[in-house]
Amino acid sequence: MNARRTAAASGGRAAVAPVLEARGICCSFPGRGSVLRGLSFVAMPGTVTAVLGPNGSGKTTLLDICLGWRRPDRGTVQLHGRPLASWGREERARAMSLVPQRENVRFDFTVADYVLLGRSPHLAALGAPGPVDLALVHDALRTAGIAGLAERSIATLSGGEYQLMLVARSLAQQAALLLLDEPASQLDPANRLRVTDLLRRLADRGLSVVYTSHDPQAAAAAADTVHLLSKGRFAFSGTPRRTLTPDALRAVYGVPFRVAWTRRGPHVSWDG
């Protein structure tokens, strides 16, 4: 049962702690000035959080800070109530997982062997995976909908299949927090829908999902909360219905948008 349903079942009184909490995040780069200016957000268990904004708005920098790869100039990040800086590298790898846009892999793995890499944080140095690890890999492949690709070479995968494999590797890692960098940015509409549907299902299983995107339609399809990032600040934050409005999107992207909410879900388009 996810966080929203747990709260509803107890009359909304359930105290659910954030998985990730960022407060007052500021970051700057030489020659560029301030990139992030006082950003704050929380990621709750059983929810999908989307950070949406145009290219170059600071989305990946924020993700790097949440992963502990970059220290903010000011502000704090807490993971499960502890300062992120107090987590060791292996401990952090068991608690959070990144799904990148793409990885340059130099070896010809099978899909199953590549997903098995997600078990690395749980293995001793030079330790071999056991039956439990292999079972978790197959469960991750089934959850991602690519069990039939287990013995395929990763070099033969389509863009959508490759992205689902990256998600499966993170699932094998068994982290409670899943961070994704533009997970559907280079996919066709059918594969984009497969990925966003999977993110929604993972949140419904209790995971906390945070992903960046420049595509309002992707955010509308999966997210519980959307933060619109513009000029280093969250210009708008809230539910997709409250945040993904024509006026808000135009203010962030600089072009007119059309937003229609139907029984089948939202449809977002822009007039370029």
Side-chain angles (χ1 to χ4, degrees):
M1 184 178 290
N2 65 28
R4 291 168 296 161
R5 292 172 185 170
T6 301
S10 58
R13 296 186 298 274
V16 181
V19 176
L20 182 74
E21 185 172 9
R23 293 295 178 195
I25 300 298
C26 297
C27 185
S28 60
F29 292 102
R32 288 185 60 188
S34 295
V35 177
L36 303 177
R37 304 176 182 181
L39 300 187
S40 299
F41 76 97
V42 297
M44 305 299 293
T47 64
V48 179
T49 303
V51 177
L52 185 64
N55 294 331
S57 60
K59 302 185 298 296
T60 299
T61 300
L62 178 60
L63 210 59
D64 287 347
I65 290 171
C66 290
L67 286 160
W69 294 355
R70 178 181 295 278
R71 288 185 178 273
D73 298 334
R74 292 192 301 277
T76 61
V77 178
Q78 290 197 331
L79 179 63
H80 292 296
R82 283 174 49 194
L84 187 60
S86 72
W87 291 72
R89 182 175 179 179
E90 292 185 358
E91 185 185 24
R92 193 167 63 220
R94 291 190 289 269
M96 62 165 65
S97 182
L98 171 68
V99 177
Q101 291 187 48
R102 186 83 182 183
E103 286 189 332
N104 295 319
V105 181
R106 298 183 179 182
F107 300 99
D108 189 17
F109 290 99
T110 66
V111 170
D113 285 343
Y114 186 83
V115 173
L116 184 59
L117 295 176
R119 299 301 302 154
S120 298
H122 300 274
L123 300 178
L126 302 179
V132 172
D133 301 298
L134 297 176
L136 288 168
V137 165
H138 289 300
D139 182 63
L141 290 169
R142 285 193 298 270
T143 300
I146 55 172
L149 304 178
E151 300 306 318
R152 282 262 302 272
S153 164
I154 65 173
T156 68
L157 299 180
S158 69
E161 291 167 341
Y162 200 99
Q163 194 66 39
L164 292 168
M165 179 190 68
L166 293 178
V167 175
R169 185 189 62 179
S170 286
L171 294 179
Q173 199 168 325
Q174 288 190 300
L177 174 62
L178 191 61
L179 299 161
L180 304 97
D181 188 14
E182 302 272 5
S185 63
Q186 300 181 34
L187 303 183
D188 59 55
N191 280 306
R192 188 183 306 134
L193 183 60
R194 290 178 70 188
V195 170
T196 54
D197 282 351
L198 175 59
L199 299 184
R200 182 69 265 160
R201 287 190 284 114
L202 295 178
D204 289 341
R205 289 175 50 170
L207 271 67
S208 179
V209 178
V210 178
Y211 71 97
T212 64
S213 180
H214 62 262
D215 180 8
Q217 181 64 48
D224 298 294
T225 302
V226 177
H227 300 285
L228 280 174
L229 182 57
S230 177
K231 299 178 181 178
R233 303 181 186 276
F234 287 146
F236 304 90
S237 296
T239 65
R241 274 189 177 272
R242 293 185 60 184
T243 307
L244 300 178
T245 65
D247 288 345
L249 292 172
R250 181 166 189 166
V252 170
Y253 288 92
V255 295
F257 277 82
R258 297 178 182 178
V259 182
W261 293 87
T262 69
R263 287 180 296 176
R264 293 185 177 182
H267 178 72
V268 181
S269 60
W270 61 279
D271 298 326

